[in-house]
């Protein structure tokens, strides 16, 4: 293949490895070692490479134009040298731009790219990757701990912890707590801490806040060796308007839409990628591939998918243009997402491609050849919204909103869902997860335990943002760290122990994850007891073994609550959120419950159990219930 054979593919929107050509790469020209530079700037009049090494002289290292692409070579530069592209636009104005394909950057508030050479990193995660390949997510446990690296933990003086120390501490903690995956809020380089990474300037650069690109590889490698998957939040929906970024890169709308009414999310203050430009598609495909291939990332959670799918997203009246069929669907974005997912699965058949999609768009987690978008998982935003609404209600009024905890089963198997309780629900005056609960702090923790058990029991994979496991009642702030001091108190220690035990229980019970995506793994037993605010259902594994979950969302203790069950001889208590170990009262701690020949809820037999206030109890069936002889009567 010739040196420039990739260019045609790039201009057609098919190049998913453009980072191998664009940006800055070490090279030798005419016996001199140096760096090759390459950038796409179709409307530029002139482009040069500038930095301290040439006193920011725009005439010292000019680049040659090859169609819409500019190239240059500079000898004798050292790794970590800071540089930018000086781009003279069609309007004659100079713009200093960071490298769109730069692998490393200065640390904010500085904004230049830095030369970085990927050496042969010695990965040690082969055993982990093979194990993942042998255990596809569809019939495996997935319990995700969502993390913002800048506020999980800090040094005592408030400084960030670097990637390697974060890896050591986080891997130990996550493994101890029983999660098997982490999801990172975007670590793609971003200028503003308060954006949490969702307004990116470096689509190929892990943020330098915590170290170098190789340090981040070490981070991932270490978590993999500890058996923990790493999912990265990735933002192809929009980009920030910071001067050094993609914004009007060559003086024209280069990466964004050209039509003014379509080029910006006014509510977010960001520009929107133009999915009709093949070069933009190549850029985004290459970014996704870069993280999956170069960094061994296990999955991408694609942010704000709904904003990509709808041309009228966040717009009113005539502030948008319909597609060629007169509809509101962004056909180019749909094609991009399908192409993205097909590419991702061609790289790693076990990759997690997760859509944050908040509408009823059909077949999000279905393969492209079945008419789907091609993701294999989708956040269940409806469930999250319903639960947040329900949890904040005074218990008296919950009886009138019972559908908040049952309606999700009307569509639970329409997609491959992840049940998230994400960072978005613990900011902007929404309060922490604990803070959503009614009553005093001790009662709030009781509610938290019952709710978390319900989350683990409900069909779908699991995600919880950091904080509830220490009993955090303050709303999350990205500028501090979690309230680790709560673990010095008994309630904090007990809550921490609960999350460890609940996660271990989830991982051990195949019924809670082997069949997450169809009705054969779930059966309602009590769905309509809104007066008592109780739901009871069974989860089943592939072998047909059942686990009964009884959940009480009320402040009342129910003694002898009867519901139908399967024809087992008895049921043993498998887990109780009201254990004294967790700060509870030991209500419902009866270890064995006999099955009675009393019909209930469509079953020929039933059990009567005690259900604690705001609590959840799990029961496992044992043995076979003897059939009644003709002369026997029911108890």
């Amino acid at each position: 293949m010739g040196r420039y054979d990739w260019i045609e593919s790039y201009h057609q929107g098919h190049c998913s490895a453009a980072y191998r050509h664009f940006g800055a790469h070490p090279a030798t020209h005419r016996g001199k070692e140096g760096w090759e530079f390459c950038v796409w700037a179709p409307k530029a009049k002139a482009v040069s490479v500038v930095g301290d090494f040439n006193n920011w002289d725009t005439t010292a290292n000019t680049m040659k134009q090859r169609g819409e692409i500019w190239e240059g070579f500079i000898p004798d530069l050292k790794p970590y040298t800071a540089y930018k592209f000086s781009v003279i636009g069609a309007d004659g104005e100079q713009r200093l731009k960071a490298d769109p394909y730069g692998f490393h950057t200065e640390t904010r508030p500085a904004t230049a790219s830095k030369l970085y050479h990927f050496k042969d990193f010695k990965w040690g995660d082969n055993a982990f990757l093979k194990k993942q390949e042998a255990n596809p997510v569809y019939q495996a446990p997935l319990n995700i701990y969502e993390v913002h690296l800048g506020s999980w933990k800090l040094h005592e003086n408030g400084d960030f912890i670097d990637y390697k120390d974060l890896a050591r501490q986080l891997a130990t903690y996550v493994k101890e707590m029983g999660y098997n995956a982490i999801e990172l809020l975007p670590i793609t380089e971003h200028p503003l801490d308060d954006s949490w990474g969702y307004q990116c300037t470096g689509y190929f650069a892990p943020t330098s806040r915590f170290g170098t690109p190789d340090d981040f590889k070490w981070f991932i490698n270490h978590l993999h060796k500890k058996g923990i998957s790493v999912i990265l939040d990735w933002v192809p929906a929009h980009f920030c308007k910071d001067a050094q970024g993609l914004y009007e890169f060559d003086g024209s709308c280069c990466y964004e839409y050209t039509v003014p009414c379509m080029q910006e999310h006014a509510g977010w203050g960001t520009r929107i990628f133009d999915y009709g430009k093949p070069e933009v598609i190549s850029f985004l495909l290459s970014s996704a591939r870069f993280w999956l291939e170069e960094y061994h990332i296990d999955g991408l959670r694609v942010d704000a998918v709904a904003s990509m799918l709808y041309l009228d997203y966040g717009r009113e009246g005539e502030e948008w243009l319909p597609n060629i069929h007169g509809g509101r669907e962004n056909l180019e974005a749909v094609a991009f997402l399908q192409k993205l997912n097909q590419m991702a699965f061609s790289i790693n058949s076990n990759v997690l491609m997760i859509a944050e999609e908040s509408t009823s768009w059909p077949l999000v987690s279905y393969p492209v050849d079945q008419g789907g978008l091609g993701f294999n998982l989708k956040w269940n935003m409806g469930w999250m919204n319903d639960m947040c609404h329900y949890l904040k209600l005074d218990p008296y009024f919950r009886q009138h909103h019972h559908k908040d905890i049952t309606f999700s089963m009307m569509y639970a198997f329409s997609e491959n869902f992840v049940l998230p309780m994400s960072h978005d629900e613990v900011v902007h005056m929404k309060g922490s997860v604990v803070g959503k609960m009614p009553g005093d702090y001790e009662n709030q923790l009781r509610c938290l335990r019952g709710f978390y058990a319900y989350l683990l029991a409900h069909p779908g994979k699991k995600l919880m943002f950091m904080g509830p496991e220490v009993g955090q009642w303050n709303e999350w702030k990205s500028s501090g760290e979690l309230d680790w001091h709560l673990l010095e108190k008994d309630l904090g220690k007990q809550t921490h122990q609960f999350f460890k035990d609940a996660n271990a229980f989830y991982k051990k019970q195949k019924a809670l994850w082997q069949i997450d995506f169809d009705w054969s793994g779930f059966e309602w037993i009590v769905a309509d007891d809104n007066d008592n605010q109780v739901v009871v259902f069974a989860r089943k594994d592939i072998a047909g073994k059942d686990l009964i979950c009884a959940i009480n969302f009320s402040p009342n203790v129910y003694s002898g609550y009867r519901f139908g069950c399967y024809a087992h001889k008895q049921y043993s208590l498998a887990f109780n959120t009201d254990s004294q170990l967790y700060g509870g009262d030991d209500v419902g701690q009866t270890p064995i419950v006999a099955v009675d020949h009393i019909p209930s809820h469509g079953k020929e037999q039933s059990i009567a159990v005690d259900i604690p206030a705001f609590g959840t109890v799990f029961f496992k069936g044992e043995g076979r219930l003897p059939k009644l002889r003709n002369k026997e009567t029911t108890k």
Side-chain angles (χ1 to χ4, degrees):
M1 181 178 288
R3 180 182 176 189
Y4 294 105
D5 288 354
W6 59 272
I7 291 180
E8 182 179 357
S9 174
Y10 170 75
H11 286 308
Q12 292 175 345
H14 302 318
C15 183
S16 63
Y19 59 88
R20 297 175 186 171
H21 311 286
F22 285 105
H25 298 270
T28 302
H29 279 206
R30 298 177 182 176
K32 288 187 176 182
E33 292 185 354
W35 294 75
E36 284 183 335
F37 296 84
C38 183
V39 66
W40 178 58
K43 299 297 177 61
K45 288 184 176 180
V47 182
S48 60
V49 185
V50 295
D52 288 339
F53 61 89
N54 63 9
N55 295 315
W56 300 86
D57 182 354
T58 61
T59 64
N61 297 104
T62 58
M63 302 177 75
K64 295 181 180 179
Q65 187 174 10
R66 178 182 293 274
E68 297 182 348
I69 295 171
W70 299 76
E71 300 175 315
F73 174 80
I74 304 176
D76 302 326
L77 295 180
K78 295 180 179 180
Y80 299 104
T81 296
Y83 71 97
K84 284 187 176 181
F85 292 119
S86 169
V87 182
I88 307 299
D91 55 6
E93 291 189 17
Q94 180 198 30
R95 293 167 176 82
L96 294 180
K97 293 290 188 178
D99 186 348
Y101 289 84
F103 296 151
H104 193 29
T105 67
E106 293 182 308
T107 305
R108 53 95 179 95
T111 57
S113 302
K114 295 172 76 172
L115 297 177
Y116 196 84
H117 178 33
F118 281 116
K119 299 178 182 178
D120 292 331
F121 183 84
K122 294 183 179 179
W123 290 95
D125 60 352
N126 192 50
F128 169 81
L129 297 177
K130 285 186 176 180
K131 184 177 179 180
Q132 293 297 95
E133 187 177 350
N135 294 278
V137 67
Y138 312 103
Q139 295 179 356
L142 180 61
N143 195 3
I144 305 167
Y145 185 64
E146 190 186 24
V147 183
H148 177 253
L149 288 183
S151 62
W152 181 67
K153 275 188 179 180
L154 298 170
H155 287 297
E156 289 186 5
N157 64 359
D159 289 346
F160 292 129
I161 302 175
D162 64 39
Y163 282 124
K164 288 188 176 181
D165 281 341
L166 277 168
R168 296 183 185 99
Q169 295 184 43
L170 195 56
T172 299
Y173 181 79
V174 169
K175 196 171 182 67
E176 175 191 349
M177 293 304 297
Y179 298 98
N180 63 348
I182 65 169
E183 181 177 315
L184 300 178
L185 272 64
I187 52 80
T188 39
E189 192 58 87
H190 51 283
L192 180 66
D193 290 355
D194 290 344
S195 79
W196 315 329
Y198 289 98
Q199 295 191 13
C200 309
T201 53
Y203 277 79
F204 296 83
T207 177
S208 60
R209 288 167 175 80
F210 314 114
T212 69
D214 272 353
D215 291 339
F216 186 55
K217 285 187 176 182
W218 197 97
F219 174 97
I220 296 164
N221 192 51
H222 185 74
L223 268 81
H224 279 181
K225 288 196 288 186
K226 298 298 182 180
I228 301 163
S229 299
V230 181
I231 302 164
L232 178 64
D233 274 14
W234 184 66
V235 191
H238 59 121
F239 57 90
C240 62
K241 292 161 58 176
D242 291 61
Q244 79 275 14
L246 301 177
Y247 172 72
E248 297 183 3
F249 190 82
D250 60 358
S252 70
C253 292
C254 193
Y255 286 86
E256 57 265 73
Y257 281 103
T258 304
V259 181
C261 71
M262 295 300 297
Q263 66 188 198
E264 192 161 320
H265 280 306
W268 299 339
T270 55
R271 285 289 171 94
I272 304 171
F273 283 107
D274 185 347
Y275 308 104
K277 293 177 182 175
E279 295 83 3
V280 172
I281 299 302
S282 289
F283 173 82
L284 291 172
L285 290 176
S286 297
S287 174
R289 180 173 181 171
F290 177 74
W291 297 107
L292 297 175
E293 221 168 45
E294 297 293 330
Y295 281 92
H296 290 201
I297 289 290
D298 301 290
L300 298 174
R301 194 221 66 162
V302 181
D303 182 65
V305 170
S307 74
M308 301 168 66
L309 292 174
Y310 297 98
L311 293 165
D312 62 345
Y313 184 90
R315 304 174 191 280
E316 297 180 0
E318 298 180 356
E319 295 178 349
W320 59 281
L321 298 178
N323 62 35
I324 58 173
H325 305 299
R328 57 197 283 254
E329 300 81 11
N330 189 331
L331 303 179
E332 289 85 2
V334 170
F336 160 69
L337 291 170
Q338 292 175 325
K339 198 169 187 177
L340 164 71
N341 288 313
Q342 287 176 316
M343 180 210 68
F345 285 103
S346 72
I347 294 170
N348 176 5
S349 61
N350 203 44
V351 70
L352 303 176
M353 294 300 292
I354 308 169
E356 187 217 15
E357 204 285 311
S358 56
T359 75
S360 57
W361 188 282
L363 307 180
V364 171
S365 58
Y366 282 66
V368 173
D369 60 10
Q370 295 181 22
L373 292 182
F375 293 93
N376 58 349
L377 294 169
K378 173 185 172 177
W379 273 19
N380 193 334
M381 308 291 281
W383 174 87
M384 182 171 68
N385 291 334
D386 287 346
M387 286 311 305
C388 286
H389 174 260
Y390 187 81
L391 294 173
K392 289 185 285 188
L393 290 171
D394 182 288
Y396 176 81
F397 296 105
R398 287 181 174 179
Q399 60 186 311
H400 306 300
H401 298 271
H402 196 65
K403 67 177 180 62
D404 283 350
I405 55 174
T406 60
F407 181 69
S408 58
M409 290 310 303
M410 297 292 290
Y411 60 89
F413 308 120
S414 62
E415 301 277 2
N416 297 339
F417 281 121
V418 174
L419 304 178
M421 189 55 65
S422 76
H423 64 279
D424 279 330
E425 300 310 311
V426 293
V427 290
H428 304 320
M429 305 300 290
K430 296 178 184 175
S432 66
V433 175
V434 174
K436 298 180 194 306
M437 309 296 179
D440 59 20
Y441 184 53
E442 187 172 348
N443 199 66
Q444 288 176 320
L445 294 180
R446 189 187 302 272
C447 294
L448 171 68
R449 297 193 301 270
F451 161 67
Y452 189 67
Y454 164 73
L455 183 154
L456 296 179
H458 191 291
K461 306 309 177 184
K462 324 299 177 187
L463 178 142
M464 179 68 78
F465 184 59
M466 62 186 195
E469 80 277 10
V470 301
Q472 176 136 347
W473 54 271
N474 280 318
E475 187 173 83
W476 172 58
K477 294 181 180 178
S478 62
S479 57
E481 68 171 14
L482 294 186
D483 290 337
W484 296 106
H485 62 84
L486 292 172
L487 295 181
E488 299 171 7
K489 306 293 185 181
D490 286 344
L491 288 176
K493 292 176 184 176
Q494 291 163 343
T495 301
H496 212 230
Q497 188 62 50
F498 163 75
F499 272 83
K500 289 181 188 177
D501 292 353
N503 289 343
F505 175 73
Y506 164 74
K507 191 180 295 185
K508 185 178 179 181
Q509 302 299 324
K510 294 180 181 180
L512 294 180
W513 43 262
Q514 268 195 336
I515 311 177
D516 266 329
F517 303 137
D518 70 64
W519 279 104
S520 63
F522 177 92
E523 183 182 358
W524 276 121
I525 297 176
V526 181
D528 57 353
D529 191 0
N530 62 296
D531 289 337
N532 290 314
Q533 299 160 44
V534 169
V535 291
V536 183
F537 53 82
R539 295 297 309 277
K540 301 176 185 178
D541 64 18
I542 291 175
K545 295 180 179 179
D546 62 279
L547 180 71
I548 288 183
C549 319
I551 305 151
N552 177 12
F553 287 99
S554 83
N556 305 312
V557 173
Y558 294 116
S559 300
Y561 188 98
R562 183 170 295 280
F563 52 81
C565 65
Y566 301 101
H568 294 293
K569 181 179 181 181
Q570 62 187 28
Y571 274 86
S572 63
L573 180 67
F575 193 79
N576 182 2
T577 64
D578 199 50
S579 166
Q580 287 187 359
L581 292 173
Y582 314 136
D585 297 322
D586 269 351
V587 172
Q589 279 295 94
T590 306
I592 300 294
V593 180
V595 175
D596 301 318
H597 285 287
I598 300 177
S600 182
H601 299 95
K603 305 288 185 185
E604 294 182 0
Q605 56 284 317
S606 60
I607 55 175
V609 305
D610 297 340
I611 310 177
F614 296 120
T616 298
V617 283
F618 293 84
F619 295 93
K620 294 192 73 172
E622 297 174 345
R624 187 74 184 169
L625 183 67
K627 291 185 177 181
L628 287 174
R629 289 175 294 184
N630 292 335
K631 294 183 179 180
E632 286 184 310
T633 59
T634 58
K635 295 181 181 178

